[in-house]
Amino acid sequence: MSVVNYRSTAEFLHRAETEKREVLRITADYPDMTVEDAYRIQEELVMIKLRQGHRIIGPKMGLTSQAKMKQMDVEEPIYGYVFDYMLVPNGGEIRMHELIHPKVEAEIAFVIGKDIEGPGITGAQVLAATDYVVPAVEIIDSRYENFKFTLTDVIADNTSSSRFVLGNRLINPENLELDLVGVTLSINGEIKDLGASAAVVGHPANSVAMLANMLARKGDKVKAGDIILTGGVTGAVMLAVGDTVSAKLDGLGEVGFKVVE
Ligand code: OOG
Ligand code: MG
């Protein structure tokens, strides 16, 4: 049995991102890799980005809805990190030549006001520690060939994180039924997918609770000031140059971007 080298595997995945090149999934060489190994690789990848001067905007959750789990054929929620260089202004442009094979998904983001330290955190505790919620779209760009991966591959690849866009309106979560938000995802005026926010583990606040409880395993926590993507409500849709993308979230507003060469 071969043993996976965390540092060199992280460097391999980082090169794939910077060279915009899809690569063979790492479980092809390391089929016995554990979830713990995968998060160790992810940590190394995060360290590489931090050493380059990038800043973490927040941890994110992925594969929190049935739509996403079925689409990617992975049955378990995961976390990763989004960085400052990934943030695109609302209505701004995504440059295709910087990416491999990007897809978009509609999400709800949480702006955290107070630290949330697991284990045992509930959705109600998350809501009490949340300043605002914001509509969001995430652009995911798996570094793996044909966007195909297993649970451990996608964890190591920082959960396909690539770009994200936040809406302009900050909404107090107390003013909303946050599990009953209708969501549409449109490209060039045509609805490509739709859903309701309860698709995200029953309530998007539960996704942040799950995150706090997962981070507690490594002695970490959700921090005041973190902006947290709670996971795609809709399935992810492939992007092409020329696309104008818009997500509408009932009571939260609209968020979008254009895809250029
Ligand atoms: C993994 C990332 C999943 C989400 O919102 O479910 C994710 C992937 O689907 O490539 O960000
Ligand atoms: Mg996502």
Side-chain angles (χ1 to χ4, degrees):
M1 189 187 86
S2 50
V3 175
V4 60
N5 182 307
Y6 304 137
R7 179 81 177 254
S8 63
T9 308
E11 280 163 356
F12 168 74
L13 289 169
H14 182 250
R15 266 198 310 280
E17 180 184 351
T18 52
E19 293 169 7
K20 301 135 213 151
R21 195 167 44 76
E22 52 175 24
V23 294
L24 185 64
R25 60 190 172 79
I26 52 190
T27 51
D29 288 328
Y30 301 104
D32 302 325
M33 190 167 70
T34 65
V35 166
E36 204 185 333
D37 289 329
Y39 278 113
R40 292 285 292 276
I41 295 166
Q42 188 195 95
E43 274 173 42
E44 291 287 342
L45 188 53
V46 166
M47 292 300 292
I48 292 171
K49 292 173 193 289
L50 290 175
R51 278 198 296 272
Q52 289 189 328
H54 300 304
R55 206 170 51 80
I56 291 175
I57 301 288
K60 62 162 260 199
M61 286 294 279
L63 307 177
T64 49
S65 66
Q66 283 300 323
K68 285 286 308 181
M69 290 191 231
K70 285 215 180 76
Q71 184 176 40
M72 304 324 294
D73 199 22
V74 175
E75 295 285 311
E76 212 174 295
I78 55 180
Y79 70 85
Y81 292 86
V82 293
F83 286 82
D84 51 359
Y85 75 91
M86 299 177 176
L87 180 59
V88 174
N90 192 11
E93 291 174 347
I94 302 286
R95 283 181 282 278
M96 191 59 106
H97 76 266
E98 295 178 354
L99 306 172
I100 304 167
H101 41 209
K103 295 183 185 182
V104 61
E105 55 199 14
E107 309 205 7
I108 294 176
F110 279 54
V111 181
I112 303 300
K114 295 189 200 83
D115 288 4
I116 310 171
E117 192 162 5
I121 295 295
T122 63
Q125 286 171 291
V126 167
L127 285 174
T130 300
D131 280 348
Y132 305 106
V133 288
V134 190
V137 282
E138 182 176 18
I139 295 91
I140 49 174
D141 195 27
S142 172
R143 267 53 70 170
Y144 299 118
E145 280 174 10
N146 305 316
F147 233 107
K148 287 263 178 349
F149 45 70
T150 67
L151 173 67
T152 49
D153 288 308
V154 68
I155 291 169
D157 185 30
N158 190 26
T159 63
S160 312
S161 300
S162 168
R163 298 286 184 273
F164 66 105
V165 188
L166 301 171
N168 302 338
R169 279 172 59 204
L170 296 166
I171 294 123
N172 187 322
E174 281 168 17
N175 301 336
L176 279 175
E177 297 269 20
L178 207 49
D179 54 343
L180 296 178
V181 177
V183 178
T184 59
L185 176 62
S186 301
I187 299 188
N188 303 327
E190 191 185 320
I191 293 181
K192 296 289 184 186
D193 206 347
L194 51 84
S197 55
V200 174
V201 288
H203 189 300
N206 293 340
S207 170
V208 181
M210 206 177 251
L211 172 65
N213 295 331
M214 287 166 102
L215 291 176
R217 290 189 215 149
K218 60 169 181 175
D220 204 354
K221 60 186 175 186
V222 171
K223 300 184 188 78
D226 281 346
I227 300 178
I228 296 173
L229 297 169
T230 52
V233 174
T234 62
V237 181
M238 207 82 198
L239 292 170
V241 171
D243 283 350
T244 298
V245 180
S246 169
K248 284 187 190 155
L249 291 86
D250 201 16
L252 287 172
E254 199 170 341
V255 55
F257 63 92
K258 288 186 180 61
V259 185
V260 300
E261 274 179 31

